[in-house]
Amino acid sequence: MEKLSAIFSITYGNGFELNRLYETKDGINFISRTSKNNGVSSKVEKLIDVDPFKAGLITVSLGGSVLETFLQTSDFYTGYHIFCLSPKIKLSEKQKLFYCLCIRANKYRYSYGRQANKTLGEILIPSLNEIPGWVEKIQIPDMPSKNSLIDKAFALNTAKWKYFNYEEIFDIKKGKRLTKEDFIHGNIPFIGAIDSNNGYRDFIGQKPIHQSNTITINYNGSVGESFYQPNPFWASDDVNVLYPKFILNKYIAFFLVTLIKLEKFRFNYGRKWETRKMNKSRIKVPVDEIGNPDWEYMENYIKSLPYSASI
């Protein structure tokens, strides 16, 4: 292990106030103490008399979201209480990202009242020789495209929508319990009653019991969480599976999942969304001229949204 200051030169950022700069969507990244969006809180016009920091440096927040650490892939300016780290040795992009994780792992040492401005350089991180071999083997995913599939805006006028019982448009089937004793590791998604990771709790070696192109809803645990399942899977007995009585695709599914999640407030651990209740529950969706669900509209609405080209 080595001190961070042995591997990186530490420089204080610009210390600019965003409200004194001119914001523009095509400008230079402005890095603040946020923990989101790689630290980028805005884009600003390039200053005539101040060159931005160069891409490839690492930024570390000293206050606010203390020790949030990001590799900057574009030139940037910074707000207050941001340090910029420049490697003293040659590092690959993956090695820099590894060091971001190492620095961020020290967040627990700091808080709003104990900032990192005087002690950042003393943090111990792995030396170059101690970086695990798997770091260079990791595949860094491409950035998703912001483009939409349809260059047209679709209005949402819910006053013209209509309610349908779930049983009118879905066949609802239950998941099945899988005990720890029977659990086999494999590559089949095991969907549990959780609220993240598309419901994937683990991967198992059993054969799937539910088909792809379906929607899962937790009736227990994180009740009301809903996900589109593009692959065959096993669902736990705390999960219900919606089999469409219409031609479903991922775009329609994402539209419906959003509506389903709006009903979460009606249920909790003590009031579960059991199959009997779910069949009689209602969902309000867009309809066509004759009052049937307008699946084409739902699909096109999702396709019109930014990032839909990356779905």
Side-chain angles (χ1 to χ4, degrees), residues 49-118:
D49 54 347
V50 181
D51 289 330
F53 287 97
K54 293 297 182 181
L57 301 187
I58 290 173
T59 57
V60 184
S61 174
L62 307 179
S65 298
V66 183
L67 238 62
E68 284 295 336
T69 308
F70 301 104
L71 173 61
Q72 300 303 330
T73 56
S74 300
D75 294 353
F76 63 95
Y77 294 121
T78 83
Y80 284 114
H81 297 158
I82 301 290
F83 270 162
C84 301
L85 309 185
S86 176
K88 293 181 178 180
I89 54 179
K90 186 176 181 179
L91 296 176
S92 68
E93 181 182 20
K94 293 177 182 179
Q95 289 171 331
K96 291 178 184 178
L97 290 171
F98 174 75
Y99 278 127
C100 287
L101 294 175
C102 294
I103 296 168
R104 197 178 294 126
N106 288 271
K107 283 172 63 70
Y108 72 95
R109 301 175 183 271
Y110 301 93
S111 63
Y112 183 79
R114 186 173 187 268
Q115 299 183 356
N117 52 327
K118 295 182 179 180

Side-chain angles (χ1 to χ4, degrees), residues 118-134:
K118 295 182 179 180
T119 58
L120 180 66
E122 302 297 312
I123 290 177
L124 294 177
I125 58 177
S127 66
L128 183 61
N129 294 332
E130 293 173 312
I131 296 178
W134 54 260

Side-chain angles (χ1 to χ4, degrees), residues 260-276:
I260 292 168
K261 288 184 177 183
L262 293 177
E263 300 299 307
K264 286 168 54 176
F265 75 96
R266 302 182 187 275
F267 305 94
N268 53 44
Y269 184 79
R271 186 171 187 269
K272 306 182 192 303
W273 205 356
E274 299 171 345
T275 306
R276 176 180 54 82

Side-chain angles (χ1 to χ4, degrees), residues 272-287:
K272 306 182 192 303
W273 205 356
E274 299 171 345
T275 306
R276 176 180 54 82
K277 293 178 182 177
M278 194 174 292
N279 272 312
K280 300 302 179 183
S281 295
R282 301 195 303 166
I283 183 171
K284 191 178 184 182
V285 300
V287 293

Side-chain angles (χ1 to χ4, degrees), residues 67-223:
L67 238 62
E68 284 295 336
T69 308
F70 301 104
L71 173 61
Q72 300 303 330
T73 56
S74 300
D75 294 353
F76 63 95
Y77 294 121
T78 83
Y80 284 114
H81 297 158
I82 301 290
F83 270 162
C84 301
L85 309 185
S86 176
K88 293 181 178 180
I89 54 179
K90 186 176 181 179
L91 296 176
S92 68
E93 181 182 20
K94 293 177 182 179
Q95 289 171 331
K96 291 178 184 178
L97 290 171
F98 174 75
Y99 278 127
C100 287
L101 294 175
C102 294
I103 296 168
R104 197 178 294 126
N106 288 271
K107 283 172 63 70
Y108 72 95
R109 301 175 183 271
Y110 301 93
S111 63
Y112 183 79
R114 186 173 187 268
Q115 299 183 356
N117 52 327
K118 295 182 179 180
T119 58
L120 180 66
E122 302 297 312
I123 290 177
L124 294 177
I125 58 177
S127 66
L128 183 61
N129 294 332
E130 293 173 312
I131 296 178
W134 54 260
V135 169
E136 287 297 333
K137 296 179 182 178
I138 289 178
Q139 296 296 317
I140 300 175
D142 295 330
M143 290 295 291
S145 169
K146 296 182 179 180
N147 296 333
S148 59
L149 291 169
I150 294 179
D151 188 19
K152 178 182 177 181
F154 289 81
L156 287 176
N157 185 3
T158 59
K160 296 182 179 180
W161 294 12
K162 180 181 173 183
Y163 282 104
F164 294 86
N165 287 346
Y166 275 70
E167 64 184 0
E168 294 182 78
I169 56 178
F170 297 109
D171 285 320
I172 303 176
K173 301 181 181 181
K174 284 184 59 62
K176 184 178 179 181
R177 186 182 183 191
L178 182 64
T179 65
K180 291 183 178 180
E181 292 76 14
D182 295 330
F183 191 96
I184 303 171
H185 288 285
N187 57 8
I188 298 300
F190 178 76
I191 309 301
I194 58 177
D195 63 358
S196 58
N197 202 31
N198 213 62
Y200 286 28
R201 184 180 290 278
D202 214 321
F203 290 87
I204 61 174
Q206 280 84 352
K207 292 182 179 180
I209 61 173
H210 288 289
Q211 298 174 15
S212 61
N213 200 38
T214 50
I215 293 172
T216 54
I217 306 179
N218 301 345
Y219 87 86
N220 196 9
S222 297
V223 183

